[in-house]
Amino acid sequence: MHDGRIGAREAAARPRRRLSPLSIRLAATVLLLTATSAAPAQEPAHDADRQRIEAVVGRLASPAMQGRRGEGAEKAAAYLVDEFRRIGLEPLFDGKFTQPIPGKEPGTVQGTNLGAMIRGADPKLKDDWVIVAAHYDHLGVRRGVLYPGADDNATGVAMMLEAARAFASAGAPPRRSVAFIGFDLEEIGLFGSRYLVAHPPMPLERVALFITADMIGRAMMGVCKQQVFVLGTEHAPGLRAWIDEAARDRPVRVSLLGSDVLILNRSDYGPFRTRQVPYLFFSTGENPCYHSPDDRPETIDYAKATVITRIIRDVARSAADAAETPRWNPNPDNPLAEAATIRDVLKELLGNERPLKLSGAAAYLMRSTLGDAEAILGRGAMTPAERARLIQSTRVILLMIQ
Ligand SMILES: [Zn+2]
């Protein structure tokens, strides 16, 4: 995930509303109902998927890969191309697994996107595409200190390889063609994905769905252990049914958010969003190890990363095989579930007020925003104005705590 911090913090003082006793009662009912929902089934604790994910993360975050910059990035690219070959994929870029990204000076190369594919088998759908992508670069070695980037984004790359393996070893080929892409230079303003969108290996209007994951092995602020955040369904609401299906009975909560909760495009979905390609962005969010030398493999929650990988794999398969896929919706359709996501996160953060050393101002804004979210959920409806206020407060809270 690239550092989207902006210089000026938004000041968003806003009037605090009082809740009516009725909305408090309704909100309490919703909370009770939520709390009594069935416990999810257990996933196998040690399994082959998880072992492969651990191996990929361990390899990409090892000192030999030098935080996947410079020579380390070249080594990582060679390793990933070997994996593409071992899985039995075809090259994506005119017979090659690599797409060099030219540097400023003529004849120079500043990075390399990686890509592989499985051809679709349906005569009518095989020219349509699903893309599963993750960036493999990270921050490198700075002043002699290694930034291993285990979560950012070795976990996402491990997911991409697992999805590829699942498609390659499934009994039947997908109906649509599926591309697996490793982006370079994400940490430098999404340069790799911007370059690919400008020089796409397939017509972008034939991309039915672009899915990327960036950081899927930790917990937001170290405390939102249950959640994976999913952005992008507002532009293709039909994707929600596939996500629900893929996440059913799994011990991770899929938490929907509109992409506008982040002020900038923070990962490789950005260039696809700009081109109005339906997309999904999965992330467990910023955590205390984000962009630090502590982003090491031994502190990843592999059980969680494995579950999220399976969810993404299943959504990709649905998109590859469905008779129809959701089209781009230019007017964002924001579900009520977004207010539930914000409520859940705020409750988690406020429940850890001391360990997180929340400032009084941050805690105050969180409580007030939590009240707003609960009132919205209690009424079972959210107006555009209420949503705008909720998102604005959430953005300010994110800026205050990160
Ligand atoms: Zn990053």
Side-chain angles (χ1 to χ4, degrees), residues 61-73:
S62 67
M65 297 285 180
Q66 297 171 38
R68 300 176 314 275
R69 273 257 168 109
E71 276 177 35

PDB file of all heavy atoms in Angstrom, residues 61-73:
ATOM      1  N   ALA A  61      10.029 -11.772   1.833  1.00  0.00           N
ATOM      2  CA  ALA A  61      10.434 -10.833   2.892  1.00  0.00           C
ATOM      3  C   ALA A  61      11.820 -11.173   3.453  1.00  0.00           C
ATOM      4  O   ALA A  61      12.255 -10.563   4.420  1.00  0.00           O
ATOM      5  CB  ALA A  61       9.399 -10.849   4.016  1.00  0.00           C
ATOM      6  N   SER A  62      12.513 -12.113   2.826  1.00  0.00           N
ATOM      7  CA  SER A  62      13.847 -12.499   3.331  1.00  0.00           C
ATOM      8  C   SER A  62      14.874 -11.426   2.978  1.00  0.00           C
ATOM      9  O   SER A  62      14.692 -10.660   2.022  1.00  0.00           O
ATOM     10  CB  SER A  62      14.257 -13.842   2.725  1.00  0.00           C
ATOM     11  OG  SER A  62      14.453 -13.685   1.327  1.00  0.00           O
ATOM     12  N   PRO A  63      15.966 -11.349   3.738  1.00  0.00           N
ATOM     13  CA  PRO A  63      16.996 -10.335   3.462  1.00  0.00           C
ATOM     14  C   PRO A  63      17.528 -10.411   2.027  1.00  0.00           C
ATOM     15  O   PRO A  63      17.865  -9.383   1.440  1.00  0.00           O
ATOM     16  CB  PRO A  63      18.098 -10.678   4.480  1.00  0.00           C
ATOM     17  CG  PRO A  63      17.378 -11.378   5.598  1.00  0.00           C
ATOM     18  CD  PRO A  63      16.257 -12.134   4.952  1.00  0.00           C
ATOM     19  N   ALA A  64      17.550 -11.616   1.444  1.00  0.00           N
ATOM     20  CA  ALA A  64      18.075 -11.759   0.070  1.00  0.00           C
ATOM     21  C   ALA A  64      17.266 -10.919  -0.918  1.00  0.00           C
ATOM     22  O   ALA A  64      17.796 -10.484  -1.946  1.00  0.00           O
ATOM     23  CB  ALA A  64      18.049 -13.225  -0.344  1.00  0.00           C
ATOM     24  N   MET A  65      16.006 -10.676  -0.627  1.00  0.00           N
ATOM     25  CA  MET A  65      15.152  -9.927  -1.563  1.00  0.00           C
ATOM     26  C   MET A  65      15.243  -8.410  -1.336  1.00  0.00           C
ATOM     27  O   MET A  65      14.577  -7.640  -2.037  1.00  0.00           O
ATOM     28  CB  MET A  65      13.692 -10.383  -1.439  1.00  0.00           C
ATOM     29  CG  MET A  65      13.470 -11.841  -1.817  1.00  0.00           C
ATOM     30  SD  MET A  65      13.524 -12.103  -3.593  1.00  0.00           S
ATOM     31  CE  MET A  65      13.237 -13.881  -3.686  1.00  0.00           C
ATOM     32  N   GLN A  66      16.027  -7.999  -0.349  1.00  0.00           N
ATOM     33  CA  GLN A  66      16.355  -6.570  -0.142  1.00  0.00           C
ATOM     34  C   GLN A  66      15.135  -5.642  -0.188  1.00  0.00           C
ATOM     35  O   GLN A  66      15.159  -4.579  -0.812  1.00  0.00           O
ATOM     36  CB  GLN A  66      17.362  -6.122  -1.201  1.00  0.00           C
ATOM     37  CG  GLN A  66      18.695  -6.867  -1.098  1.00  0.00           C
ATOM     38  CD  GLN A  66      19.608  -6.576  -2.272  1.00  0.00           C
ATOM     39  OE1 GLN A  66      19.665  -5.447  -2.750  1.00  0.00           O
ATOM     40  NE2 GLN A  66      20.305  -7.584  -2.738  1.00  0.00           N
ATOM     41  N   GLY A  67      14.094  -6.058   0.506  1.00  0.00           N
ATOM     42  CA  GLY A  67      12.894  -5.223   0.526  1.00  0.00           C
ATOM     43  C   GLY A  67      12.338  -5.004  -0.872  1.00  0.00           C
ATOM     44  O   GLY A  67      11.584  -4.067  -1.119  1.00  0.00           O
ATOM     45  N   ARG A  68      12.725  -5.914  -1.803  1.00  0.00           N
ATOM     46  CA  ARG A  68      12.206  -5.932  -3.189  1.00  0.00           C
ATOM     47  C   ARG A  68      12.305  -4.585  -3.911  1.00  0.00           C
ATOM     48  O   ARG A  68      11.376  -4.068  -4.490  1.00  0.00           O
ATOM     49  CB  ARG A  68      10.778  -6.477  -3.218  1.00  0.00           C
ATOM     50  CG  ARG A  68      10.783  -7.887  -2.671  1.00  0.00           C
ATOM     51  CD  ARG A  68       9.484  -8.530  -2.546  1.00  0.00           C
ATOM     52  NE  ARG A  68       8.416  -7.785  -1.968  1.00  0.00           N
ATOM     53  CZ  ARG A  68       8.190  -7.675  -0.649  1.00  0.00           C
ATOM     54  NH1 ARG A  68       8.989  -8.247   0.232  1.00  0.00           N
ATOM     55  NH2 ARG A  68       7.152  -6.993  -0.228  1.00  0.00           N
ATOM     56  N   ARG A  69      13.494  -4.064  -3.838  1.00  0.00           N
ATOM     57  CA  ARG A  69      13.889  -2.904  -4.643  1.00  0.00           C
ATOM     58  C   ARG A  69      15.211  -3.261  -5.300  1.00  0.00           C
ATOM     59  O   ARG A  69      15.959  -4.075  -4.768  1.00  0.00           O
ATOM     60  CB  ARG A  69      14.132  -1.687  -3.751  1.00  0.00           C
ATOM     61  CG  ARG A  69      12.916  -0.894  -3.483  1.00  0.00           C
ATOM     62  CD  ARG A  69      12.836   0.376  -4.307  1.00  0.00           C
ATOM     63  NE  ARG A  69      11.489   0.895  -4.167  1.00  0.00           N
ATOM     64  CZ  ARG A  69      11.190   2.004  -3.484  1.00  0.00           C
ATOM     65  NH1 ARG A  69      12.148   2.729  -2.960  1.00  0.00           N
ATOM     66  NH2 ARG A  69       9.956   2.396  -3.390  1.00  0.00           N
ATOM     67  N   GLY A  70      15.510  -2.631  -6.395  1.00  0.00           N
ATOM     68  CA  GLY A  70      16.804  -2.821  -7.041  1.00  0.00           C
ATOM     69  C   GLY A  70      17.049  -4.286  -7.378  1.00  0.00           C
ATOM     70  O   GLY A  70      16.181  -4.953  -7.951  1.00  0.00           O
ATOM     71  N   GLU A  71      18.244  -4.784  -7.000  1.00  0.00           N
ATOM     72  CA  GLU A  71      18.569  -6.187  -7.306  1.00  0.00           C
ATOM     73  C   GLU A  71      17.594  -7.141  -6.630  1.00  0.00           C
ATOM     74  O   GLU A  71      17.291  -8.209  -7.156  1.00  0.00           O
ATOM     75  CB  GLU A  71      19.985  -6.508  -6.833  1.00  0.00           C
ATOM     76  CG  GLU A  71      21.056  -6.103  -7.824  1.00  0.00           C
ATOM     77  CD  GLU A  71      22.445  -6.373  -7.269  1.00  0.00           C
ATOM     78  OE1 GLU A  71      22.614  -7.371  -6.537  1.00  0.00           O
ATOM     79  OE2 GLU A  71      23.344  -5.565  -7.552  1.00  0.00           O
ATOM     80  N   GLY A  72      17.125  -6.763  -5.454  1.00  0.00           N
ATOM     81  CA  GLY A  72      16.157  -7.604  -4.749  1.00  0.00           C
ATOM     82  C   GLY A  72      14.865  -7.746  -5.544  1.00  0.00           C
ATOM     83  O   GLY A  72      14.260  -8.823  -5.593  1.00  0.00           O
ATOM     84  N   ALA A  73      14.435  -6.669  -6.184  1.00  0.00           N
ATOM     85  CA  ALA A  73      13.221  -6.729  -7.005  1.00  0.00           C
ATOM     86  C   ALA A  73      13.444  -7.646  -8.204  1.00  0.00           C
ATOM     87  O   ALA A  73      12.547  -8.390  -8.614  1.00  0.00           O
ATOM     88  CB  ALA A  73      12.821  -5.329  -7.467  1.00  0.00           C
TER      89      ALA A  73
END
